[in-house]
Amino acid sequence: MAANMYRVGDYVYFENSSSNPYLIRRIEELNKTANGNVEAKVVCLFRRRDISGNLNTLADSNAREFEEESKQPALSEQQKHQLKHRELFLSRQFESLPATHIRGKCNVTLLNETDVLAGYLEKEDCFFYSLVFDPVQKTLLADQGEIRVGSKYQAEIPDKLTEDEVDTRVQEKMETKVWDPSNQLKDAQIDQFLVVARAVGTFARALDCSSSIRQPSLHMSAAAASRDITLFHAMDTLQKNNYDLARAMSTLVPQGGPVLCRDEMEEWSASEAMLFEEALEKYGKDFNDIRQDFLPWKSLASVVQFYYMWKTTDRYIQQKRLKAAEADSKLKQVYIPTYTKPNPNQIMMPGSKPGLNGATGFQKGLSCESCHTAQSPQWYAWGPPNMQCRLCASCWIYWKKYGGLKTPTQLEGAARAGSESGSRSHMTRQEVQGMSPFTRNEGRAKLLAKNRQTFILQTTKLTRIARRVCEDILQPRRAARRPYASINANAVKAECMIRLPKATKSPLKSKVIPRQSLATIVKDLAISAPLKLKASRGPPTPINRNQASQPRVAQSLLGKRGFESATGVPYPANGRPYTSGMRTTSQSVIKRQKVSQGEAPNPVVFVATKDTRALRKHLTQSEMRRAARKPHLLVRIKLPPPPRTLAMPLLPSSTSEPIVLED
């Protein structure tokens, strides 16, 4: 009964999704709605999986500093991994959730220097926090409500002086004496002087214009003059005048007029007091935030002094009574029965026949992704559906409570991707890659942008062997056509280890491909390298496809000229000539698109020489098509023999005989 009774101030688990981990919240209020349901106003606490990678790095550095300062015992890698699941981040974000979604209680404490981190792993449902997370600003800050416990916060007490030892410290530098109880005045004389000081304060407020407006009645002026600020001033005056009443009287009323002493209650206006009450309702006694967000023109000392003076007023008593009456009308506790409905992620129902490899629809040979066990009374689907991962009963409870797996694994981020992916039939390749379990949330946006950095994927020897031995399970051709679909590498490697002893008896057939030497390859490249001709400077190459006024044709050896440049008349794609009313591509009014620097291609221009254009004429149409489909192969051109020239008798260019012209 007590386990299912939830009160204000309890830390509880809330379930908002059947596959995601529980939400950890602190109950602030329990309200009953109009339809009879109970809603809980809760404070949000966040896990490490809920914040960005940069903030996780900041939290790691803070954890290292805490371990060094508190001298924590050494932890194993698995303990460090599990300890991150126990760390929470407090926030000031409130939300309302149905009380029927509560799934149990937990314990959340503020981390102190005296705590041992390994102790949190030994206790169930135990968490800690040391930083405050702001969901709006995306920042992590130290909790200002920390209790300063530890050796560095203790005072250093000096040794006690002996009877004959003299204290050599200068008392004037260490402290200031404000009152001497062994003075020559009697208590009655001191009381009479304080009455005179109050009367002087009342008269001073009557002379002051601003005070007379704020406190028009004599009773209010006398009450203000009777507060502590007037008494402190009177006692300081006695101390400064060496408890001489005559000199102290003259100090109270100098030649310029009576001295007026004001405290924070008189300095603050009514509107500032209303702002302070509103801020106190929102932030509580967090005076730094009250001053920063509501009263930035006030000092922190002024805000603190006003708070303690405000608590002595009737206004505070009235608000306290209203809050008490409001609290009486609200629920103090609520009973939530234990949730017994089956989880939709269950693979095998408890009534079915137990087995080692789960129910139908899942591949055989799968084990728990966390503890790698093959036997469990109950299995739960975990991660993306296409990966067919699962967890045993104990690891599923650990996942729901602590938001992670017991052992670190590459697929730990798969559950987040699986819960958000849904149907992938309508997604592009970039979007599917962004939902990959090996991709963090903050890196998904970068995948959609063009990345020009190169990377290498290097496989191990066992992976290369598994490709040959388990080719029927792996199906490399099908996997190459669907590169976004995940492959269960653990199942393939496990099957490979079973088949490997049998496969070694029958050697694999491998085709040896002879490779040429490096010198031969360099020589062939040097022979087939095109000549680098200096291209004439012309108009810049357009990047946008819409700029078709200058047709961008490939002018390589096998390039084809544009139809417009061949005929001189612009034609559309359907072959019909443009009419006078149609707009040509040179008259396009489409706005030029802005191309980013990362997506802009490098301009490459090939200029064909006269000899190259002459050689193209000796290629047939089939040879041109074959060369276009395989541009990496050399093109062999059979040149026709040169035309034979007829032997003509050579005549002398000049002769000494006369030329005779016959009519």
Side-chain angles (χ1 to χ4, degrees):
M1 184 69 178
N4 295 338
M5 193 67 69
Y6 300 96
R7 299 175 177 85
V8 175
D10 289 345
Y11 290 91
V12 295
Y13 295 115
F14 272 91
E15 185 175 24
N16 67 337
S17 174
S18 60
S19 58
N20 289 342
Y22 292 141
L23 304 176
I24 298 179
R25 300 291 186 260
R26 185 182 68 200
I27 301 177
E28 290 293 315
E29 294 178 2
L30 292 172
N31 302 320
K32 197 170 185 179
T33 59
N35 54 4
N37 297 328
V38 178
E39 284 190 353
K41 182 181 179 182
V42 295
V43 178
C44 300
L45 289 94
F46 295 88
R47 304 178 190 264
R48 275 180 172 263
R49 67 192 306 271
D50 300 327
I51 63 177
S52 62
N54 296 333
L55 296 182
N56 269 296
T57 305
L58 183 61
D60 291 338
S61 61
N62 181 74
R64 286 192 296 268
E65 292 178 1
F66 175 80
E67 292 177 1
E68 294 175 358
E69 293 177 359
S70 59
K71 298 180 181 179
Q72 295 286 332
L75 300 175
S76 62
E77 291 298 327
Q78 184 174 358
Q79 287 179 329
K80 292 180 180 179
H81 171 75
Q82 295 181 1
L83 194 63
K84 292 181 179 180
H85 302 156
R86 303 298 185 100
E87 184 178 7
L88 301 177
F89 302 100
L90 186 66
S91 72
R92 294 189 178 93
Q93 179 178 341
F94 292 86
E95 62 181 3
S96 295
L97 297 174
T100 54
H101 290 186
I102 297 177
R103 297 294 180 263
K105 294 182 182 180
C106 59
N107 185 21
V108 182
T109 57
L110 177 64
L111 184 62
N112 289 326
E113 187 179 352
T114 56
D115 294 343
V116 180
L117 294 176
Y120 288 95
L121 300 178
E122 300 173 358
K123 302 176 184 178
E124 289 291 334
D125 304 323
C126 190
F127 301 88
F128 66 90
Y129 74 94
S130 60
L131 299 175
V132 178
F133 174 62
D134 188 352
V136 179
Q137 302 294 334
K138 305 296 182 183
T139 57
L140 278 179
L141 299 175
D143 185 26
Q144 298 177 355
E146 179 184 2
I147 302 175
R148 299 181 179 272
V149 178
S151 57
K152 63 180 181 179
Y153 301 116
Q154 303 300 321
E156 297 181 1
I157 303 175
D159 297 334
K160 186 178 180 181
L161 299 176
T162 60
E163 295 181 359
D164 300 335
E165 191 176 358
V166 180
D167 189 2
T168 57
R169 297 176 298 175
V170 181
Q171 297 294 333
E172 288 76 9
K173 294 183 179 180
M174 300 181 62
E175 56 189 4
T176 303
K177 191 174 184 179
V178 295
W179 183 257
D180 188 6
S182 59
N183 54 73
Q184 66 272 17
L185 296 178
K186 298 179 181 180
D187 293 343
Q189 293 176 326
I190 296 176
D191 293 339
Q192 291 174 357
F193 181 78
L194 294 179
V195 171
V196 173
R198 293 193 191 101
V200 171
T202 305
F203 180 65
R205 284 170 175 79
L207 296 178
D208 186 63
C209 296
S210 60
S211 298
S212 60
I213 294 174
R214 293 182 181 180
Q215 301 162 353
S217 65
L218 181 61
H219 295 283
M220 296 178 63
S221 300
S226 301
R227 284 203 288 264
D228 293 338
I229 188 67
T230 305
L231 301 181
F232 291 160
H233 175 65
M235 298 176 76
D236 289 342
T237 304
L238 286 176
Q239 172 68 21
K240 292 178 181 178
N241 291 278
N242 199 14
Y243 301 95
D244 187 353
L245 291 177
R247 293 171 54 189
M249 290 287 185
S250 60
T251 307
L252 282 179
V253 187
Q255 294 182 357
V259 177
L260 177 60
C261 300
R262 290 178 178 175
D263 55 10
E264 296 297 333
M265 291 296 294
E266 292 184 82
E267 293 291 341
W268 285 45
S269 62
S271 59
E272 291 174 342
M274 294 294 291
L275 283 175
F276 176 80
E277 291 179 0
E278 181 182 353
L280 194 67
E281 182 71 20
K282 181 178 181 180
Y283 293 125
K285 292 191 294 184
D286 196 342
F287 300 116
N288 286 315
D289 290 346
I290 290 175
R291 174 183 172 273
Q292 182 178 358
D293 296 344
F294 285 85
L295 300 165
W297 58 90
K298 296 289 185 180
S299 63
L300 184 61
S302 176
V303 174
V304 174
Q305 290 179 12
F306 181 80
Y307 168 73
Y308 287 102
M309 292 180 181
W310 174 78
K311 290 185 68 175
T312 61
T313 60
D314 295 337
R315 178 71 175 174
Y316 169 76
I317 298 174
Q318 292 175 2
Q319 288 194 359
K320 192 173 182 180
R321 289 175 180 174
L322 289 175
K323 286 185 178 180
E326 186 179 358
D328 292 338
S329 62
K330 292 183 178 179
L331 297 176
K332 301 293 188 304
Q333 58 187 6
V334 62
Y335 175 80
I336 304 296
T338 305
Y339 188 76
T340 57
K341 293 183 180 180
N343 194 293
N345 293 275
Q346 289 183 3
I347 300 175
M348 180 178 59
M349 301 303 295
S352 61
K353 185 178 179 181
L356 299 180
N357 297 324
T360 57
F362 269 65
Q363 297 179 0
K364 295 184 178 181
L366 294 180
S367 59
C368 177
E369 292 293 335
S370 179
C371 61
H372 307 290
T373 183
Q375 296 182 358
S376 176
Q378 180 62 54
W379 294 98
Y380 294 88
W382 181 79
N386 59 341
M387 296 185 66
Q388 295 190 350
C389 301
R390 62 181 185 175
L391 295 177
C392 62
S394 61
C395 294
W396 176 258
I397 296 175
Y398 186 92
W399 159 257
K400 293 290 288 183
K401 287 185 176 181
Y402 304 111
L405 301 183
K406 294 181 180 179
T407 56
T409 175
Q410 290 181 338
L411 299 178
E412 188 169 1
R416 189 186 311 176
S419 61
E420 298 173 359
S421 60
S423 177
R424 301 187 181 185
S425 58
H426 63 281
M427 293 186 178
T428 62
R429 177 175 295 183
Q430 289 81 2
E431 292 175 345
V432 174
Q433 290 176 353
M435 302 304 295
S436 173
F438 305 100
T439 307
R440 299 183 65 88
N441 281 342
E442 61 271 13
R444 292 176 185 172
K446 297 180 181 179
L447 284 175
L448 301 179
K450 188 174 181 180
N451 191 357
R452 303 186 67 178
Q453 296 180 357
T454 58
F455 61 94
I456 300 174
L457 299 178
Q458 187 175 4
T459 58
T460 60
K461 291 183 179 180
L462 182 60
T463 305
R464 292 195 293 269
I465 294 173
R467 291 174 181 172
R468 296 288 189 91
V469 177
C470 304
E471 188 173 358
D472 55 338
I473 300 178
L474 184 60
Q475 298 180 359
R477 291 177 178 270
R478 186 171 180 271
R481 290 193 295 268
R482 299 174 62 192
Y484 53 86
S486 303
I487 299 174
N488 194 344
N490 294 331
V492 175
K493 290 181 180 179
E495 187 68 22
C496 176
M497 297 302 294
I498 298 174
R499 299 184 183 182
L500 197 57
K502 301 179 182 179
T504 53
K505 298 179 182 179
S506 58
L508 299 175
K509 297 180 181 180
S510 59
K511 183 179 180 181
V512 180
I513 301 176
R515 297 182 180 273
Q516 298 180 355
S517 61
L518 181 61
T520 306
I521 296 175
V522 173
K523 185 177 179 181
D524 294 342
L525 291 175
I527 294 174
S528 60
L531 297 176
K532 295 183 179 180
L533 301 177
K534 185 176 181 181
S536 59
R537 292 188 177 181
T541 305
I543 297 176
N544 193 356
R545 281 182 279 182
N546 299 324
Q547 292 181 344
S549 58
Q550 296 178 358
R552 187 177 179 182
V553 297
Q555 298 181 1
S556 59
L557 177 63
L558 303 176
K560 295 182 180 180
R561 293 178 295 167
F563 190 79
E564 298 178 5
S565 61
T567 60
V569 181
Y571 270 76
N574 55 9
R576 298 180 181 180
Y578 287 109
T579 60
S580 59
M582 298 176 65
R583 188 187 301 275
T584 62
T585 55
S586 60
Q587 301 171 353
S588 176
V589 295
I590 300 177
K591 187 177 180 181
R592 177 170 177 172
Q593 300 177 357
K594 294 183 179 179
V595 182
S596 62
Q597 186 176 2
E599 298 179 356
N602 298 324
V604 180
V605 181
F606 296 93
V607 179
T609 60
K610 294 181 179 180
D611 298 336
T612 304
R613 288 193 288 268
L615 291 175
R616 292 177 187 168
K617 298 179 181 180
H618 298 287
L619 292 176
T620 61
Q621 187 175 6
S622 61
E623 290 176 346
M624 290 280 286
R625 291 179 178 177
R626 189 183 303 109
R629 288 193 295 267
K630 298 181 179 180
H632 59 282
L633 298 180
L634 296 177
V635 180
R636 301 184 182 277
I637 302 175
K638 296 181 180 180
L639 298 177
R644 297 181 180 180
T645 57
L646 299 176
M648 298 292 293
L650 298 177
L651 298 177
S653 59
S654 61
T655 178
S656 58
E657 296 181 358
I659 299 175
V660 180
L661 298 176
E662 296 181 356
D663 191 2

